[in-house]
Amino acid sequence: MMRLFEKQQLVITGLVIAIVVGFVFFRYIPLARRTQEINQSKQRYLQETLEVKDQAQRLPIVISKMEQLKVKVGDFDRKIPIVREFGSLWDQIAAVMSKCGLKEQLIQPRDEVKGSEICLIPINMQCRGNLQEIFSFFQSLENFERVICIESLSMVGSAGKDSVGDVKLTANANIYYRPAEMSMSGGVR
C-alpha cells in the first residue's frame, strides 16, 4: 500500500509540476511579453503625445513666421512665373522708362542662365534723365509683377547745354522665371 501511495504522490507531484511548467510557458511568459509590449507602446505613445503637444505650442510661432514670409515674398507664382515672356517684359520696362520721362533708352538681354529651379535673364539698361525721373523709374520697377533684381548701378552726370541736371543711368539687372519642367514635376510652389 505504501508503494501505491508513493506512486500516486509521484504522479500527482509530476502532474502539478507539469501544470505549473505548462502555465509558466504557455500562459505567464506570453502574458508577460504582451504586457511588456503594451508598456513599450504606451511609453512610445506618451512620447509622441508630448512631441505633438510641443509642436502644437510652437504652431502659433510658425504661423506667425509664415505670415511674415508671405508678406516678404508676396505671390511667388506671379513674381517668378513659369514662362519666360521676356519680350512683353521688355516692352513694360521701356513703357515705364517713357512714362517716367527717361530718354536714350537701351535695354539689352545678356546670355540666359538656366538652373534646375530658377532661371534668370541678365539685362543691361541705359537711359538718361534727372534724378526725380530715375527715382520714379526705380519705384515703378519695385512695383512690377515680376521680380527684377538690380545687380549693379552707375549714375554719371551728363554734360552739355540740353542735358543740364541730367544723369546717365547704367544698370545691370536680373529677371527671374521658373523652368516649365518644374511645374510638371511638382517643384517648389
Side-chain angles (χ1 to χ4, degrees):
M1 195 71 177
M2 195 63 134
R3 257 182 181 275
L4 186 63
F5 183 70
E6 288 177 8
K7 276 187 178 182
Q8 285 178 345
Q9 272 187 332
L10 282 176
V11 169
I12 291 173
T13 305
L15 282 174
V16 168
I17 290 173
I19 290 172
V20 169
V21 167
F23 176 77
V24 167
F25 281 108
F26 296 112
R27 194 70 181 145
Y28 178 76
I29 291 177
L31 285 175
R33 285 185 187 150
R34 182 70 180 138
T35 302
Q36 184 179 12
E37 289 172 2
I38 290 172
N39 286 337
Q40 288 174 347
S41 293
K42 182 180 172 183
Q43 288 299 323
R44 189 174 63 245
Y45 290 132
L46 286 173
Q47 182 65 31
E48 289 174 2
T49 302
L50 289 174
E51 289 174 9
V52 167
K53 283 182 181 178
D54 183 48
Q55 290 173 352
Q57 288 175 346
R58 287 186 281 154
L59 188 60
I61 296 169
V62 171
I63 289 173
S64 171
K65 286 183 180 179
M66 188 177 77
E67 292 300 323
Q68 290 172 356
L69 287 174
K70 275 186 182 177
V71 169
K72 284 183 182 178
V73 172
D75 187 2
F76 180 81
D77 290 335
R78 189 174 47 103
K79 290 189 178 249
I80 302 181
I82 294 171
V83 291
R84 186 175 183 266
E85 290 182 359
F86 179 71
S88 64
L89 186 61
W90 186 356
D91 291 340
Q92 287 176 336
I93 293 171
V96 167
M97 283 181 169
S98 296
K99 179 183 169 191
C100 294
L102 297 172
K103 302 163 218 56
E104 299 176 17
Q105 303 170 7
L106 177 64
I107 305 168
Q108 291 180 315
R110 297 188 320 238
D111 291 334
E112 193 170 323
V113 179
K114 293 188 178 195
S116 61
E117 294 182 17
I118 298 274
C119 301
L120 67 96
I121 304 168
I123 61 171
N124 295 328
M125 296 184 288
Q126 291 181 357
C127 57
R128 185 174 54 85
N130 63 40
L131 288 177
Q132 181 62 38
E133 293 167 341
I134 291 174
F135 181 73
S136 177
F137 171 65
F138 282 121
Q139 280 183 318
S140 297
L141 283 184
E142 188 175 12
N143 295 327
F144 259 44
E145 285 185 13
R146 300 251 323 240
V147 172
I148 299 175
C149 181
I150 305 294
E151 291 293 316
S152 65
L153 175 71
S154 170
M155 292 192 290
V156 178
S158 297
K161 288 182 181 178
D162 45 322
S163 62
V164 174
D166 279 358
V167 176
K168 181 178 181 181
L169 168 73
T170 304
N172 295 323
N174 293 325
I175 300 168
Y176 299 93
Y177 71 95
R178 292 176 287 153
E181 304 86 46
M182 198 173 133
S183 67
M184 291 179 212
S185 66
V188 176
R189 279 277 168 176

